[in-house]
Amino acid sequence: MNRSEVSGPAELVQARDVYGGVHFHGDAAAPDVPQQLPGDVRGFVNRVDEQRALDHLLSDGHRRAEVTLSVITGTAGVGKTALALRWAHHVRHRFPDGQLYANLRGYDPGEPAQPAQILDRFLRALGVPPSAVPVDLDDRAALYRSRLAGRRVLVVLDNAATARQVRPLLPGSDLSLAVVTSRNLLSGLATRDGGRRLTLRILAEDDAVTLLRDVTSAYRSGDDPDELTELARLCARLPLALRIAAERAASRPFMPLGELIEDLRDESALWDALTAEEGEESDAVRAVFAWSYRALNPTAARLFRLLGLHPGPDLTVPAAAALTGAATSRVRQPLDALVAAHLLEQNAPGRYELHDLLRAYAVDQVRHLESTEDRRAALSRLLDWYLHTADAALDRTLPFYRTVPLDPPADVTPLGFATSGDANAWFDAERDNLVAATRVAAEAGLPRTAWQLAALLRSVFMHRNAFESWFTTARIGLAAARTLDDRRGQAEALESLGKAHFQARQLTEAAEHHRAALTIRREIGDVHGTAVSVNALGLLGLRHRRLTDSLAHFGESLMIFEQLGDQRWRALLLSNLAETRYEIGDLPEAAELLEQALAVQRSIDDRGQEGNSLFFLSMTLRELGRVDEAAAAIERAVTIAEEDANQVWLAHWLVEQARVLRASGRPAEALEAVHRAATIQRELGDRSREAMALDGAGEAYRELGQADEAIAFHLRAAAVHRQLGDDWQLALALDHLAAALTAAGRADEAAPHRGEAYALLGRFADARAVAFRERLAASLPGRSKRPHR
């Protein structure tokens, strides 16, 4: 059992020293090499001096140790991102361990990206499984720095608004380099973090004209150089505006450039009159936007302004179709028209995003040109599409977790998914959009959609340990349900928060939320929900090893599900009761309950729960002396984990397989199993279960007659369990350590460890703990005849 993580005393300093020389032999898995840079920028001109300044950060192909951070600053649209990406592509070969990229959206009309959210994405790209990403921002940042230690990685952080947004994302290694772009000076990054600032100015006149000519030369010829110079001036020599103007000129090869300039000059005069108090560069950019926007056909123009309603960082063709209310086939052409006009970027196959300045312009247009009713209808269609597509994806990946009945979609056609892989890929790609959709639904006066979407996402985030997104959406869902006085919705959100806190090992908060959900469910007569909440309290009892409480809660929940005829939940409760019976030491009862659970789980093809029941059945049968049957059970569980490619299951269940192999007299094979388990757990970041695997390795070494090796592994396992505050697992590891010391002829050193284990076990009153303590007492001088609890 994994207990909440707390700081422990440092008595076992020796374990930390010993662990330096403790390892399994074998090749380590190759680290993941992320390649996240967006495509290079076309129409890039000059910036030779700026690129040379960035090149100076490197010396002889290596990092200059004194500089680990560069900050590119400049006005909006001046080409900061283009410079950063052009240079990053140029030097990427000097960072063989990968390149990370994130748009921090610091100036987007919507919510800026949060450091914890970006760290989650970076850690996954660096090979950390979702289940191993820590909850706390500081822990994520520490793990991120650890992953980058000793590696040459280039990190590009685009559109940062503040130094606080950036700092957790900076590598701690001198071998890696971070490049940040921002409209602000971010002085703190220079003074406190040693960053080198590079201020990007608007293009020189010749360079601006060259950019215009490079984009248009394949479509136009004979343009007057003076007119190109005038067009560059009207664009304030800003690359973003220049590219848009050039695209429009290229799309009209037979229209005299002078006529296009006159149109833009008229537009500029209008913006000068409307925004005289603002800067010349801002006016020029917006004038170019308006000039290009007015040249669109009506369908493309309406799509562009409706994109201002989209809450997330990017969108797909089906999402754009939902916004407009048109068929998917009819939205592709206007999307292509926007890309051709340089008003929209295609950042991946089928995915599109707006530059933050263009998004702001689209927001302005949609507010002025679409009625309140039309804006609400478009947003409702989009949110409904996200809600029902998420439901369809959940139906394909986790059908047993669909707990919120939805009304049929009215005006949208949600996506369907052929495989669970397709559905999971959609969830991964749309995660930021789904969080943003939940938030916007609440803000836009659609609270029912908000809490339902949050409830659906609970199961998705639960299986990914996506705590940042999970907590955010659950809290939004709870607030939304409260505005409706929707008690069922409130209970769903409270349950979600309870599960999130439980999974994050925040057990006090988990108990508060689960009890609050239970209170509501009992008050409104939600029998099924009541049973779910009571089961959650039983799991909390197991985590605290309050086994009598767990038996009572699981028994109550089982009775309700049996009355409801819910077979899946009945089987799950039988398995939970069996685990509790096993912990108490009632092995025959545990085995019988597990056989009942397995019969149901197999009949409904609930593979995950079947594997978990087989895991506990193996433990039970092994202790009953039925080793061959235990071997068959755990082999089937491991097969399920391998077939489903679930590393979390596999690593945990391999430790039990090792125990069975040792019980079968095959310690060398057992060592291979725990080696595999510990390697996976290290990658998963589950310190508790890694320590259990290391402890199992110690037992295998002892049985192989290598007591000194066993001692080292038990010391490490004990140190981790002490740090995590897991008294039960610590007592087990100390007992195993004492056995290894005795086998090494150091019995005098074994007694203190048995004594500590004996004291720790006094905190538990269950039968297994009492028997364990009595066995220890028999080997401790002066304690064998003392009464025991």
Side-chain angles (χ1 to χ4, degrees):
M1 291 167 58
N2 298 331
R3 303 197 183 281
S4 60
E5 187 168 335
V6 296
S7 299
E11 288 92 337
L12 273 176
V13 175
Q14 181 187 7
R16 192 178 304 112
D17 299 333
V18 170
Y19 187 59
V22 175
H23 59 88
F24 290 110
H25 297 287
D27 295 333
D32 287 50
V33 179
Q35 305 285 340
Q36 294 188 338
L37 291 180
D40 201 355
V41 180
R42 66 188 181 94
F44 188 89
V45 297
N46 204 304
R47 300 299 193 191
V48 174
D49 291 341
E50 290 86 352
Q51 292 189 72
R52 188 177 293 121
L54 291 170
D55 285 339
H56 189 64
L57 299 173
L58 307 176
S59 175
D60 299 327
H62 299 291
R63 281 277 307 101
R64 292 175 66 90
E66 71 273 16
V67 183
T68 60
L69 170 64
S70 176
V71 183
I72 302 173
T73 65
T75 190
V78 79
K80 300 180 294 296
T81 299
L83 173 63
L85 292 180
R86 168 56 59 97
W87 186 78
H89 279 282
H90 177 66
V91 301
R92 64 188 303 170
H93 65 282
R94 299 188 180 184
F95 296 91
D97 296 314
Q99 303 88 44
L100 296 167
Y101 172 86
N103 183 352
L104 302 185
R105 304 197 303 274
Y107 308 97
D108 196 275
E111 289 286 326
Q114 298 300 312
Q117 174 187 5
I118 301 301
L119 282 171
D120 176 81
R121 189 177 303 145
F122 280 0
L123 287 169
R124 293 168 193 246
L126 292 166
V128 178
S131 58
V133 175
V135 182
D136 183 73
L137 172 62
D138 290 340
D139 290 340
R140 286 186 183 183
L143 180 58
Y144 169 66
R145 291 191 294 271
S146 296
R147 282 277 166 160
L148 294 186
R151 301 174 69 178
R152 298 182 186 277
V153 176
L154 178 62
V155 183
V156 179
L157 304 171
D158 204 8
N159 295 312
T162 65
R164 181 176 297 179
Q165 193 183 22
V166 170
R167 281 200 179 96
L169 308 176
L170 297 178
S173 168
D174 289 343
L175 298 175
S176 294
L177 173 68
V179 176
V180 180
T181 73
S182 179
R183 296 180 199 171
N184 299 332
L185 292 178
L186 301 184
S187 299
L189 292 183
T191 58
R192 174 176 160 184
D193 301 284
R196 295 281 182 88
R197 184 185 300 122
L198 173 61
T199 301
L200 201 58
R201 309 296 180 186
I202 62 175
L203 287 175
E205 186 175 282
D206 288 347
D207 291 334
V209 171
T210 298
L211 192 157
L212 290 171
R213 188 177 287 117
D214 285 352
V215 175
T216 61
S217 61
Y219 307 93
R220 305 176 60 91
S221 60
D223 284 333
D224 187 324
D226 290 339
E227 290 183 334
L228 287 171
T229 301
E230 175 65 7
L231 182 57
R233 186 192 67 77
L234 289 169
C235 293
R237 305 203 309 271
L238 291 169
L240 175 62
L242 287 164
R243 289 191 184 94
I244 293 173
E247 292 289 353
R248 183 172 177 192
S251 68
R252 290 160 176 78
F254 302 111
M255 179 179 287
L257 189 59
E259 291 185 23
L260 291 169
I261 290 172
E262 283 303 316
D263 286 346
L264 179 52
R265 190 178 285 121
D266 291 343
E267 197 70 56
S268 298
L270 174 63
W271 278 103
D272 286 342
L274 292 177
T275 59
E277 76 283 357
E278 297 191 14
E280 176 184 345
E281 293 166 356
S282 299
D283 293 348
V285 169
R286 283 178 292 188
V288 172
F289 290 171
W291 177 65
S292 185
Y293 168 73
R294 293 182 195 281
L296 296 170
N297 66 59
T299 302
R302 183 169 189 266
L303 173 59
F304 174 78
R305 60 180 178 265
L306 287 177
L307 293 180
L309 297 174
H310 189 275
D314 65 356
L315 81 164
T316 60
V317 176
L323 262 176
T324 62
T328 301
S329 60
R330 300 188 63 184
V331 82
R332 295 184 188 276
Q333 190 279 328
L335 283 170
D336 290 342
L338 294 176
V339 172
H342 219 74
L343 294 174
L344 186 67
E345 297 176 41
Q346 186 167 4
N347 59 7
R351 302 195 74 87
Y352 303 84
E353 66 178 343
L354 285 168
H355 188 284
D356 52 11
L357 291 176
L358 285 161
R359 181 185 290 273
Y361 182 71
V363 168
D364 184 70
Q365 292 303 299
V366 78
R367 287 175 178 167
H368 284 89
L369 300 178
E370 298 285 335
S371 68
T372 302
E373 294 75 15
D374 287 347
R375 293 200 306 271
R376 184 176 180 83
L379 183 59
S380 296
R381 284 193 304 270
L382 177 69
L383 297 175
D384 209 33
W385 181 83
Y386 275 118
L387 176 68
H388 285 277
T389 300
D391 185 55
L394 194 63
D395 185 44
R396 178 60 66 184
T397 57
L398 298 163
F400 295 115
Y401 291 83
R402 293 172 71 214
T403 60
V404 179
L406 304 178
D407 295 332
D411 301 316
V412 294
T413 303
L415 294 179
F417 299 93
T419 67
S420 60
D422 292 340
N424 277 320
W426 185 83
F427 276 130
D428 290 337
E430 297 292 337
R431 177 167 146 187
D432 290 349
N433 285 331
L434 289 165
V435 174
T438 307
R439 178 183 290 109
V440 166
E443 293 172 350
L446 298 167
R448 188 163 185 265
T449 300
W451 81 253
Q452 289 182 334
L453 189 51
L456 279 174
L457 294 175
R458 170 183 63 206
S459 301
V460 180
F461 297 149
M462 178 174 65
H463 284 79
R464 287 165 167 76
N465 270 18
F467 290 110
E468 186 77 15
S469 300
W470 191 358
F471 279 117
T472 296
T473 52
R475 287 166 181 151
I476 292 170
L478 179 59
R482 282 174 172 164
T483 64
L484 288 171
D485 196 25
D486 187 323
R487 304 279 280 164
R488 182 166 186 268
Q490 292 175 47
E492 290 284 345
L494 287 165
E495 179 191 327
S496 184
L497 285 168
K499 287 182 175 180
H501 283 295
F502 181 86
Q503 205 155 311
R505 299 188 182 191
Q506 298 165 351
L507 301 187
T508 301
E509 295 88 345
E512 290 173 359
H513 287 97
H514 280 307
R515 290 193 181 103
L518 177 60
T519 298
I520 291 174
R521 285 166 165 169
R522 281 178 168 157
E523 289 174 354
I524 66 176
D526 180 359
V527 179
H528 184 280
T530 294
V532 171
S533 292
V534 171
N535 174 68
L537 296 180
L539 293 174
L540 279 162
L542 263 179
R543 182 64 62 89
H544 289 293
R545 203 173 176 83
R546 294 196 291 261
L547 303 181
T548 302
D549 292 347
S550 291
L551 282 178
H553 290 310
F554 290 147
E556 179 185 350
S557 185
L558 174 63
M559 181 177 65
I560 296 173
F561 284 123
E562 286 179 335
Q563 292 171 351
L564 293 174
D566 190 318
Q567 288 294 90
R568 182 191 181 255
W569 271 99
R570 173 176 172 269
L572 191 151
L573 263 300
L574 289 170
S575 184
N576 286 348
L577 275 169
E579 180 184 357
T580 314
R581 287 292 179 188
Y582 168 84
E583 292 294 342
I584 289 172
D586 190 350
L587 303 181
E589 177 68 12
E592 183 178 341
L593 290 168
L594 288 165
E595 292 290 359
Q596 293 177 44
L598 283 163
V600 176
Q601 287 157 355
R602 286 166 179 156
S603 70
I604 63 175
D605 195 29
D606 191 352
R607 288 169 60 83
Q609 291 301 330
E610 178 190 353
N612 210 43
S613 294
L614 287 166
F615 165 71
F616 286 116
L617 182 62
S618 175
M619 294 173 66
T620 304
L621 294 174
R622 174 174 51 80
E623 290 197 20
L624 286 169
R626 295 156 61 180
V627 178
D628 290 343
E629 294 173 73
I634 197 61
E635 285 170 12
R636 172 59 185 154
V638 168
T639 298
I640 289 173
E642 291 175 332
E643 290 176 350
D644 285 29
N646 191 309
Q647 296 291 90
V648 176
W649 300 344
L650 178 62
H652 190 43
W653 299 342
L654 280 170
V655 174
E656 169 57 19
Q657 187 175 48
R659 298 188 191 108
V660 172
L661 288 167
R662 288 193 297 104
S664 303
R666 297 149 67 186
E669 294 176 60
L671 190 59
E672 292 179 9
V674 289
H675 176 192
R676 190 180 176 195
T679 300
I680 297 172
Q681 294 293 9
R682 170 62 58 89
E683 287 298 311
L684 291 173
D686 192 324
R687 298 180 64 214
S688 175
R689 288 183 174 178
E690 182 190 355
M692 293 179 199
L694 295 174
D695 197 48
E699 293 183 276
Y701 271 121
R702 178 166 54 85
E703 292 187 10
L704 285 167
Q706 301 179 45
D708 288 338
E709 287 84 352
I711 291 168
F713 278 93
H714 291 313
L715 277 168
R716 175 55 181 168
V720 174
H721 291 312
R722 187 189 303 281
Q723 291 165 4
L724 297 179
D726 192 332
D727 291 342
W728 178 257
Q729 290 296 335
L730 176 57
L732 291 174
L734 290 171
D735 181 43
H736 298 154
L737 172 60
L741 287 165
T742 301
R746 297 158 59 183
D748 57 326
E749 298 177 46
H753 298 298
R754 287 198 178 99
E756 184 182 0
Y758 176 87
L760 289 168
L761 292 168
R763 302 172 188 178
F764 305 107
D766 59 272
R768 182 182 288 272
V770 170
F772 186 4
R773 196 165 191 251
E774 288 177 348
R775 177 175 63 77
L776 288 173
S779 64
L780 293 171
R783 286 180 177 162
S784 59
K785 294 183 180 180
R786 292 184 182 181
H788 307 295
R789 292 174 63 186

